[in-house]
Amino acid sequence: MVSAGPARRPEGYDPYAFEPFAVTVDLAVCTVRDGGLHLLLIRRGEEPYKGEWALPGGFVLPRESAGQAARRELAEETGLPDDVVAGLHLEQLRTYSDPDRDPRMRVVSVAYTALVPDLPEPHGGGDAAHAQWVPFGAYGSLAFDHERIVADARDRIGAKFEYTCLATAFCPPEFTLGELQQVYETVWGTALDRPNFRRKVLATPGFVEPVAGAARLTGGRGKPAALYRAGVATALHPPLLRPEGRPS
Amino acid sequence: MVSAGPARRPEGYDPYAFEPFAVTVDLAVCTVRDGGLHLLLIRRGEEPYKGEWALPGGFVLPRESAGQAARRELAEETGLPDDVVAGLHLEQLRTYSDPDRDPRMRVVSVAYTALVPDLPEPHGGGDAAHAQWVPFGAYGSLAFDHERIVADARDRIGAKFEYTCLATAFCPPEFTLGELQQVYETVWGTALDRPNFRRKVLATPGFVEPVAGAARLTGGRGKPAALYRAGVATALHPPLLRPEGRPS
DNA sequence: CTTTTTAATAGTCATGATGACTATAAAGGC
DNA sequence: GCCTTTATAGTCATCATGACTATTAAAAAG
């Protein structure tokens, strides 16, 4: 048995009795651009890892929750208006707490994933004007344990696509089934049969709803595709399983 | 846009520049006893919530990760030998960070779920000799936000049962298919068709493997059931979906 | 203005998994 | 032996799916 140690439950929780922990949030913000999955990254301006790519994020303030901090940081880094940020899908991913993940001090970080449609190039509202979209894999390495976070985010998103309607979060308000399929193919990295994909999506009540009479040319030529909006459903039953086995 | 505040990125991360955060782990340890889902709880010995039920847990020490802290606390609270605890399924659930979740100070807690087979009544090794199994719902309310944590744990376990082989973690080393089915029924709260359940489990390679020649009387009478061990598979494809819709 | 190209949409068909059953086998109690 | 109980074997219709082929509607090429 591990020794509990005399100081395990301090008298009255004296806040300064221990080496303090800092609590931060890290954001894995993903989008689909030009048929590829992209990640919102910043260039670090200070040591350690100065000049390297890192996930946006920052400290949780004394009077906010981690989720509030994540949404605030997202607004700051992307420069989007608050009401847009308020509507985005933000999901707590996991907490990373290795004692040595930050060489300066003990930092515990709560990671969040956000799925956004293809947005204009971000303009940081304040200190983070350097956030930009980078294609998955187009960065060499990331600062801290951020590569691990990104890998976890990717796995989670891929898995959630199987049994939720989350994919519409990557799409603009009105989209074609081809665009929705491309989102799936981009996230999963596999090709899907188009008629079968249509059948599945349309057979799931509330996944998408048609926009009456609307259509749009997809690639400039070919038959115009009907437009759809995200429906009210959130779950997919039965799930839409990836072709081969499990996560990559 | 939210104001960043002048102190958002402190000079050189001075560890004492802010009101410090405490980081704890909370454990939702579940088992199946007498056909019902049980939870490992302790009676709080101090204010706040003195005398009420709470999840076991404790502080993350300066040189350990949250996962290490969870395993250490689990060993301390259950009194199980370290090697047994090392083999148990422990999964990070979610982090709870509401600023007011603990009235004394800012405490961010990383919650873990553990699934254990029906163990002997726990004997706390040290300070927590009061941990005991309580049937789900048989406690009135729980301290802090622990009811929320338990609800999340239950949802997560139910969902994971659909697409993983996790249910065997609730079973002893050798078990009958009837016992495995009862685990599913207990966790999901629904009855399953016995022949169909058998078919599905046996048709999934690596879910269970037969123990050659072994059999056991299940309820005292009736035909003895064959014994199985947990197999090497971890995922279920296609998944074993709950009868009606989604989580409760 | 016809033909070609491209992409969306509509079907078909066989297979596999599933839900709802019925039937048989092996144990104990009487 | 007969009844009860529980495990196990098997049937059958339905539904979802993967792998296709066919048709339609547009733009671009000629």
Side-chain angles (χ1 to χ4, degrees), chain B residues 7-189:
Chain B
R8 212 179 114 253
R9 288 189 191 276
E11 301 295 311
Y13 275 49
D14 172 7
Y16 294 93
F18 291 98
E19 180 195 350
F21 287 65
V23 178
T24 62
V25 291
D26 284 314
L27 298 170
V29 187
C30 302
T31 196
V32 173
R33 307 191 91 179
D34 317 317
L37 200 56
H38 288 232
L39 192 62
L40 190 69
L41 293 178
I42 61 167
R43 285 259 181 213
R44 280 190 59 80
E46 12 180 306
E47 292 294 347
Y49 301 103
K50 182 169 181 173
E52 292 189 40
W53 289 117
L55 295 178
F59 287 88
V60 177
L61 301 180
R63 292 297 310 156
E64 71 183 358
S65 69
Q68 287 164 350
R71 221 168 267 281
R72 172 178 54 74
E73 292 285 349
L74 183 59
E76 292 175 6
E77 310 276 8
T78 59
L80 289 171
D82 280 353
D83 59 325
V84 173
V85 170
L88 292 179
H89 176 87
L90 244 186
E91 179 177 328
Q92 194 186 112
L93 182 62
R94 204 190 139 80
T95 293
Y96 299 83
S97 60
D98 188 272
D100 301 310
R101 60 182 297 280
D102 188 316
R104 294 163 295 186
M105 68 173 288
R106 189 67 201 266
V107 178
V108 169
S109 188
V110 187
Y112 284 78
T113 319
L115 305 187
V116 303
D118 190 0
L119 299 172
E121 201 60 39
H123 301 287
D127 59 334
H130 43 302
Q132 59 183 277
W133 293 115
V134 183
F136 259 72
Y139 41 81
S141 64
L142 298 179
F144 305 105
D145 52 1
H146 290 185
E147 275 170 81
R148 168 97 190 282
I149 297 177
V150 169
D152 288 347
R154 203 188 175 148
D155 285 351
R156 173 79 69 92
I157 294 170
K160 291 211 92 174
F161 268 35
E162 290 195 326
Y163 55 95
T164 70
C165 300
L166 200 56
T168 55
F170 273 134
C171 295
E174 298 191 343
F175 52 87
T176 69
L177 292 186
E179 288 166 348
L180 184 63
Q181 180 176 350
Q182 184 144 341
V183 166
Y184 268 92
E185 292 180 331
T186 300
V187 168
W188 284 349

Side-chain angles (χ1 to χ4, degrees), chain A residues 140-159:
Chain A
S141 63
L142 298 178
F144 306 106
D145 52 1
H146 290 184
E147 276 171 80
R148 167 96 191 284
I149 297 176
V150 170
D152 288 346
R154 206 192 170 143
D155 285 351
R156 172 78 69 90
I157 294 169

Side-chain angles (χ1 to χ4, degrees), chain B residues 177-247:
Chain B
L177 292 186
E179 288 166 348
L180 184 63
Q181 180 176 350
Q182 184 144 341
V183 166
Y184 268 92
E185 292 180 331
T186 300
V187 168
W188 284 349
T190 55
L192 299 175
D193 179 83
R194 199 188 278 263
N196 291 342
F197 180 80
R198 286 180 64 76
R199 186 203 346 182
K200 177 67 181 175
V201 171
L202 295 177
T204 303
F207 193 170
V208 297
E209 36 185 61
V211 177
R216 190 206 312 157
L217 273 311
T218 322
R221 51 179 159 270
K223 182 175 174 176
L227 287 175
Y228 294 85
R229 255 192 296 272
V232 293
T234 59
L236 232 59
H237 272 257
L240 175 50
L241 299 175
R242 271 171 282 200
E244 286 288 281
R246 234 61 15 64

Side-chain angles (χ1 to χ4, degrees), chain A residues 54-118:
Chain A
L55 295 178
F59 287 88
V60 177
L61 300 180
R63 291 298 311 158
E64 71 184 358
S65 69
Q68 287 165 349
R71 221 167 266 280
R72 173 179 52 75
E73 292 285 347
L74 183 59
E76 292 175 6
E77 310 276 7
T78 60
L80 288 171
D82 280 355
D83 58 327
V84 172
V85 170
L88 292 179
H89 175 88
L90 243 186
E91 179 178 327
Q92 193 186 113
L93 182 61
R94 205 191 139 80
T95 293
Y96 299 83
S97 59
D98 188 271
D100 301 311
R101 60 181 295 280
D102 190 315
R104 292 163 295 186
M105 68 172 289
R106 189 66 201 269
V107 179
V108 169
S109 188
V110 186
Y112 284 78
T113 318
L115 306 188
V116 303
D118 191 359

